């Protein structure tokens, strides 16, 4: 066996070794819990300043597996961590800008059944959706998809925002380039230079928008193909991009 093959087999064994894997996950969780500050926020790295974006990113990251039934071995500690993270997110809806509130509402949406939002926060989210809709066609594709997801999660089907979100999603679909080999893609992503979000993150956000709207599996398959074609050599370009890719392809 070559060194690369041996290394891959060793990595596979470690993934399949449940006891070892749980121990590693537990260690990472302990480190993450210890990084939470007095206000419930998280920094980008140990010892750094608290950051709203990474705090919401982690909240969203735990939200998806939570909806699928995942539980931490230390349930009490994890629950307290999530509650404090949610309290921090909710406290900032009054001071965040439109973009910050959109991502905050998105991250918060995975927990709104277990931890209902108060009327003041809901009002702020509604206002944010209305403000973002005014210039939605001038926003990046990532932001358009994010706005659509949040609109469909918070507005009722008879609400104008909900209807406009579906119309915007249809507009995005009409602009897509369909390729049997490379899947469904958009010229503005292929040609664009977005320093805030990777191509993979945008694909994943579009995938979620179409899924949230109940679109057919053909679109999902097309986006999955494009996600695979976006991989450079044997990996994606960023850690957040890799996480987004795994979220689609799992």
């Amino acid at each position: 066996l070559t060194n690369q093959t041996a290394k891959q087999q060793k990595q596979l064994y470690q993934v399949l070794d449940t006891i070892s894997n749980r121990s590693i996950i537990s260690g990472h969780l302990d480190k993450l819990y210890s990084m939470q500050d007095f206000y419930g926020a998280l920094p980008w790295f140990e010892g750094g300043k608290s950051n709203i974006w990474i705090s919401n990113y982690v909240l969203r990251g735990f939200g998806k597996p939570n909806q699928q039934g995942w539980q931490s071995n230390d349930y009490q500690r994890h629950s307290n961590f999530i509650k404090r993270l949610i309290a921090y997110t909710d406290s900032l809806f009054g001071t965040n800008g439109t973009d910050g509130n959109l991502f905050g509402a998105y991250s918060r949406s995975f927990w709104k059944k277990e931890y209902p939002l108060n009327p003041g926060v809901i009002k702020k989210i509604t206002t944010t959706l209305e403000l973002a809709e005014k210039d939605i066609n001038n926003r990046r594709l990532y932001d358009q998809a994010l706005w659509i997801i949040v609109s469909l999660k918070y507005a009722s089907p008879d609400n104008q925002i909900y209807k406009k979100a579906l119309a915007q999603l249809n507009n995005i679909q009409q602009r897509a380039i369909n390729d049997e080999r490379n899947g469904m893609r958009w010229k503005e992503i292929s040609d664009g230079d977005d320093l805030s979000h990777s191509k993979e993150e945008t694909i994943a956000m579009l995938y979620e928008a179409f899924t949230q709207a109940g679109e057919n599996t053909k679109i999902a398959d097309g986006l999955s193909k494009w996600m695979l074609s976006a991989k450079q050599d044997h990996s994606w370009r960023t850690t957040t991009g890799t996480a987004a890719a795994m979220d689609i392809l799992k």
Side-chain angles (χ1 to χ4, degrees):
L1 293 175
T2 64
N3 289 336
Q4 180 65 22
T5 302
K7 183 180 179 181
Q8 289 175 343
Q9 288 191 347
K10 183 179 180 181
Q11 290 173 337
L12 179 59
Y13 174 80
Q14 289 175 338
V15 170
L16 296 175
D17 185 353
T18 307
I19 296 176
S20 174
N21 200 36
R22 285 180 179 175
S23 177
I24 293 170
I25 291 173
S26 180
H28 287 313
L29 287 175
D30 285 340
K31 185 175 181 180
L32 183 63
Y33 297 153
S34 68
M35 289 168 63
Q36 192 172 38
D37 69 12
F38 175 81
Y39 301 101
L42 293 168
W44 276 96
F45 51 87
E46 194 171 8
K49 293 183 179 180
S50 62
N51 180 274
I52 180 60
W53 190 89
I54 195 62
S55 297
N56 277 322
Y57 183 82
V58 171
L59 183 63
R60 175 260 187 199
F62 279 117
K64 286 196 171 185
N66 178 71
Q67 290 186 339
Q68 296 166 357
W70 177 83
Q71 286 188 351
S72 168
N73 288 335
D74 192 342
Y75 177 79
Q76 192 61 44
R77 189 181 183 191
H78 185 74
S79 294
N80 186 54
F81 171 79
I82 293 297
K83 286 177 184 177
R84 295 180 63 217
L85 200 52
I86 286 173
Y88 172 71
T89 296
D90 286 359
S91 72
L92 294 180
F93 276 105
T95 56
N96 272 339
T98 301
D99 291 341
N101 275 347
L102 272 179
F103 193 67
Y106 168 63
S107 302
R108 189 64 173 82
S109 69
F110 295 96
W111 300 94
K112 60 192 180 85
K113 286 185 178 180
E114 291 180 67
Y115 303 98
L117 297 99
N118 68 54
V121 171
I122 293 175
K123 186 177 180 180
K124 287 291 183 183
I125 291 173
T126 301
T127 301
T128 296
L129 291 172
E130 292 171 349
L131 288 172
E133 188 272 330
K134 292 179 180 179
D135 68 338
I136 195 64
N137 288 316
N138 297 322
R139 289 174 170 265
R140 299 167 303 177
L141 203 50
Y142 174 97
D143 294 322
Q144 291 181 41
L146 176 61
W147 177 79
I148 290 167
I149 294 167
V150 176
S151 297
L152 296 181
K153 285 193 171 191
Y154 285 93
S156 59
D158 61 340
N159 188 287
Q160 283 302 310
I161 285 292
Y162 189 99
K163 294 175 182 177
K164 288 178 180 178
L166 290 180
Q168 187 66 26
L169 188 64
N170 182 63
N171 179 277
I172 290 172
Q173 184 178 350
Q174 295 302 316
R175 303 201 309 267
I177 302 168
N178 289 293
D179 184 331
E180 284 297 324
R181 180 179 178 182
N182 296 313
M184 179 180 283
R185 64 191 191 280
W186 284 262
K187 191 174 186 297
E188 52 253 64
I189 301 181
S190 300
D191 296 344
D193 185 18
D194 186 351
L195 299 180
S196 300
H197 304 285
S198 68
K199 182 188 296 186
E200 295 83 10
E201 289 174 273
T202 301
I203 298 170
M205 197 61 77
L206 286 165
Y207 180 96
E208 189 169 342
F210 282 109
T211 302
Q212 185 67 37
E215 292 293 340
N216 59 43
T217 55
K218 186 176 181 180
I219 293 175
D221 289 343
L223 288 169
S224 296
K225 280 185 180 179
W226 191 29
M227 183 65 86
L228 288 170
S229 69
K231 187 170 65 171
Q232 296 182 348
D233 296 324
H234 299 291
S235 63
W236 287 275
R237 292 179 294 174
T238 65
T239 52
T240 51
T242 300
M246 295 305 296
D247 203 29
I248 285 183
L249 301 173
K250 63 186 177 181

